[in-house]
Amino acid sequence: MTEPQGIDMPNDLTTAERTMWTSFEHGRTCDLRDSNPLLNDPFSEREWGPGRSVRADVIAMLLLSGPPARPGRVCALKLRGAYVTGKLTLSGGTIGPYVELTGCRFESELAFPEARFTTLRMVGCAIPRLEAARLHTEGDLHLPRCRIDRGMRLTDAQIGTDLLINQIQVRPDRRGRAIAADGLSVAQDLQAELIETYGEVSLRGAKVGVSLSLRGSRLRAVEGRHALNAPQLTVERTLYMTRAWVDGGGDQGATPPFGIANAAGGRAPGARERRFECHGGVRLDDGRFGDAVDLHKARFVLSDARREELSLRRIVTPELRFTGERPTQGRVVLNGAKVVTLIDLSTSWPGPGGLAMGGFVYENLVPYSRFPLARRLEWIEAATPEYAPEPYERLATVLRNSGEDADAREVLLAKQRRRRETLPLAAKLWGFLQDWTVAYGYRPGRAALWMAVLWAAGAVAFSRYDPSAIKPDEHPVWNPSLFALDLLIPVINLGQDGYWRLEGRWQWAAAALILLGWILATTVAAGASRMLRRG
């Protein structure tokens, strides 16, 4: 094609390209749509006529070395309903003009690696593939409602403000990745709401300056890949993997795109709920989240056969909202995670074998709805196929710090009962005895009751016995009730023990009372000291 001289328009441009050229100089929208709305869908099988075709080389010429703006105007490429033929290559280029392509269809992939834009918006476009590694934008990158057939690559891209890909549909590349964005940096929000992907979304080491929203999205993995692979992800505020309220109205050309009733999760009149769904493994290991990780009403479909996991290993966040649907297969892994506040539902956690939380640290528990202690103990049992004391001790500490002392004692009692299952037979029998008598010391009232029973029994027994004094001239008046109590209570002397000579079975009865008294009194004292320390 003929190269332009200075600011002259090339001679071999088509009518559509001339219109685009002139619109670029004036900063106007070049609208090549058909008058029949049925012929304007870029995703349909209908062919678009030559009157709507523009060459990718002409677009590249405009963006990289196009004419200056007309007086009083600003250059901008605003193109609607165009069929772009050839491969649009802007690799390594610096594109100063504003770019907005709406409802366009591309014949070949877009090659933007290491290109620099001010702002780039492609709305509702059909794109074979987007190759944009190390792309740099000063402003936004918007790709709402686009369909990309062979994946998009944004590895190490730097977005100056927002990255918006709401309602995008992306199919995988030959390596099974739908979105490859390892090392991506977004200065503000990454909005990926209501998206549909059919391969791995890879965000390894990505950084988001504000929030990352996947509300209402559906991610589907391919064999051998995760649905979401984002270890070492950093989000300064909140990661949303929650529901969205969707309506069917709105302006097709608007950005942010139509279809999201309320980005904050509220419901608009006539809107329907769409959950976040993930079919395949999720990896968020070592992530850092400044405000929260929100999984409200999320649905994770995992496979035992493929050992798929919702992996939250070693994440750090002030708040984890685990209030989604219970995974029926796979595992939820929280090993080493550190959370300040855990908001959860009893019906959200998987059953035995489906949960791992070794070294999981949380400071506050806020159930989203009623979460009985019995279910909370089942939660720990599900995470510990083999006995481990740490989850019980962590739960007891959190309950005690929140003032629920009785529940904390129940948790520690459950820990002792679980530990008993791992002991040899003799120790196990001794454990049963401790449990039945004094509940391992975690129910001191039971020990006090046993002391009362033993005192009464001893008083009745010794009332039928008239012992002789050790020293006939030095002894108090025989009092069977005080004598039994003196034997039971260690340390304290009530003036009866040590003055009477016991013989035969009465010696054994006294020895039994002394031994039981030491055991029970120690239990009561330990329980009392725990209550005083908490006070």
Side-chain angles (χ1 to χ4, degrees):
M1 64 184 288
T2 305
E3 294 291 331
Q5 301 296 323
I7 61 173
D8 293 337
M9 183 185 298
N11 296 325
D12 58 350
L13 299 187
T14 65
T15 301
E17 292 167 349
R18 289 177 179 274
T19 303
M20 178 179 67
W21 190 281
T22 304
S23 298
F24 176 84
E25 294 176 311
H26 289 82
R28 295 194 301 252
T29 299
C30 176
D31 194 342
L32 300 179
R33 292 179 296 180
D34 196 277
S35 57
N36 183 358
L38 297 177
L39 301 178
N40 292 322
D41 183 3
F43 313 120
S44 71
E45 299 295 330
R46 298 174 184 267
E47 293 187 2
W48 288 0
R52 303 176 64 175
S53 297
V54 296
R55 286 170 289 175
D57 288 344
V58 178
I59 293 177
M61 187 185 305
L62 281 174
L63 295 178
L64 296 174
S65 56
R70 294 299 177 94
R73 302 286 183 176
V74 177
C75 287
L77 180 63
K78 300 178 182 179
L79 195 57
R80 286 178 178 264
Y83 178 50
V84 181
T85 61
K87 181 178 179 179
L88 180 56
T89 301
L90 301 172
S91 304
T94 299
I95 297 91
Y98 170 85
V99 180
E100 182 174 297
L101 307 174
T102 304
C104 295
R105 180 185 290 178
F106 292 85
E107 181 184 45
S108 299
E109 71 174 59
L110 306 182
F112 299 160
E114 301 188 35
R116 300 179 70 89
F117 286 84
T118 50
T119 293
L120 174 60
R121 289 180 176 168
M122 292 186 287
V123 181
C125 295
I127 304 170
R129 174 170 171 78
L130 175 61
E131 179 64 50
R134 297 174 297 284
L135 172 76
H136 186 283
T137 69
E138 295 179 13
D140 297 340
L141 173 59
H142 286 191
L143 300 166
R145 298 192 301 282
C146 289
R147 293 188 186 177
I148 303 177
D149 292 332
R150 299 195 304 275
M152 58 186 289
R153 186 180 179 206
L154 291 169
T155 306
D156 297 318
Q158 298 183 43
I159 310 303
T161 50
D162 295 332
L163 172 58
L164 189 147
I165 57 173
N166 292 346
Q167 295 175 286
I168 197 172
Q169 293 185 24
V170 190
R171 296 196 173 273
D173 60 16
R174 60 188 179 183
R175 300 176 66 181
R177 297 178 301 181
I179 300 176
D182 299 339
L184 171 70
S185 177
V186 180
Q188 296 184 20
D189 289 311
L190 198 170
Q191 296 186 35
E193 301 182 354
L194 300 172
I195 72 170
E196 293 193 16
T197 59
Y198 298 86
E200 182 176 271
V201 177
S202 184
L203 292 168
R204 294 182 298 177
K207 296 180 179 179
V208 180
V210 185
S211 293
L212 168 54
S213 177
L214 287 160
R215 292 185 179 98
S217 295
R218 292 174 179 168
L219 312 182
R220 299 173 178 85
V222 296
E223 186 69 30
R225 289 280 185 180
H226 294 84
L228 175 61
N229 187 22
Q232 299 181 336
L233 172 66
T234 300
V235 179
E236 293 297 328
R237 300 213 40 196
T238 301
L239 169 62
Y240 295 99
M241 301 168 71
T242 65
R243 65 183 176 181
W245 294 105
V246 184
D247 61 34
D251 179 7
Q252 292 277 344
T255 10
F258 81 101
I260 302 174
N262 188 327
R267 181 175 185 176
R272 60 183 175 83
E273 179 187 81
R274 176 165 155 171
R275 295 188 176 195
F276 171 84
E277 290 187 8
C278 197
H279 297 256
V282 176
R283 187 176 172 220
L284 293 172
D285 301 347
D286 301 295
R288 299 294 182 268
F289 307 92
D291 282 353
V293 175
D294 192 349
L295 306 178
H296 184 56
K297 290 206 170 183
R299 183 169 183 256
F300 297 93
V301 182
L302 307 173
S303 170
D304 286 333
R306 293 193 291 270
R307 299 179 179 272
E308 291 175 339
E309 297 177 342
L310 168 57
S311 179
L312 304 172
R313 291 176 173 87
R314 299 176 298 281
I315 69 165
V316 177
T317 179
E319 188 169 286
L320 172 60
R321 304 166 193 161
F322 199 91
T323 54
E325 183 178 312
R326 171 182 292 170
T328 57
Q329 295 189 57
R331 289 205 311 163
V332 175
V333 183
L334 285 161
N335 294 343
K338 294 183 179 179
V339 174
V340 177
T341 301
L342 175 60
I343 300 174
D344 61 349
L345 277 169
S346 62
T347 56
S348 294
W349 296 105
L355 177 61
M357 53 183 191
F360 176 36
V361 176
Y362 52 97
E363 298 179 15
N364 304 297
L365 279 175
V366 182
Y368 192 74
S369 65
R370 187 171 179 270
F371 203 142
L373 182 62
R375 297 295 298 274
R376 186 67 75 183
L377 292 173
E378 291 175 4
W379 173 62
I380 292 181
E381 289 178 11
T384 53
E386 297 182 358
Y387 167 71
E390 191 274 335
Y392 290 95
E393 292 167 0
R394 168 58 51 183
L395 177 57
T397 300
V398 171
L399 291 173
R400 186 180 300 117
N401 291 341
S402 62
E404 300 177 30
D405 296 336
D407 286 349
R409 290 196 298 272
E410 287 296 321
V411 171
L412 294 174
L413 176 57
K415 182 191 81 168
Q416 293 293 343
R417 288 170 174 168
R418 185 82 184 277
R419 175 178 174 272
R420 185 174 66 208
E421 298 173 2
T422 66
L423 299 176
L425 179 60
K428 189 177 294 185
L429 293 175
W430 173 242
F432 275 115
L433 180 60
Q434 285 184 294
D435 192 0
W436 183 68
T437 54
V438 295
Y440 288 97
Y442 291 109
R443 292 179 184 168
R446 184 183 293 184
L449 178 62
W450 275 109
M451 288 192 72
V453 170
L454 289 172
W455 178 31
V460 170
F462 284 116
S463 66
R464 300 179 180 179
Y465 181 58
D466 187 14
S468 59
I470 296 175
K471 295 181 179 180
D473 299 332
E474 298 180 13
H475 64 85
V477 177
W478 169 248
N479 187 321
S481 298
L482 279 178
F483 182 73
L485 189 60
D486 209 352
L487 293 175
L488 270 174
I489 299 179
V491 180
I492 299 175
N493 188 350
L494 299 178
Q496 287 288 324
D497 188 20
Y499 291 97
W500 310 103
R501 180 179 288 107
L502 303 179
E503 298 176 352
R505 58 191 177 91
W506 298 104
Q507 284 184 317
W508 288 104
L513 281 179
I514 292 171
L515 179 61
L516 292 172
W518 272 102
I519 294 173
L520 294 174
T522 304
T523 302
V524 173
S529 65
R530 280 195 296 267
M531 288 189 285
L532 288 173
R533 284 198 301 270
R534 288 192 293 274

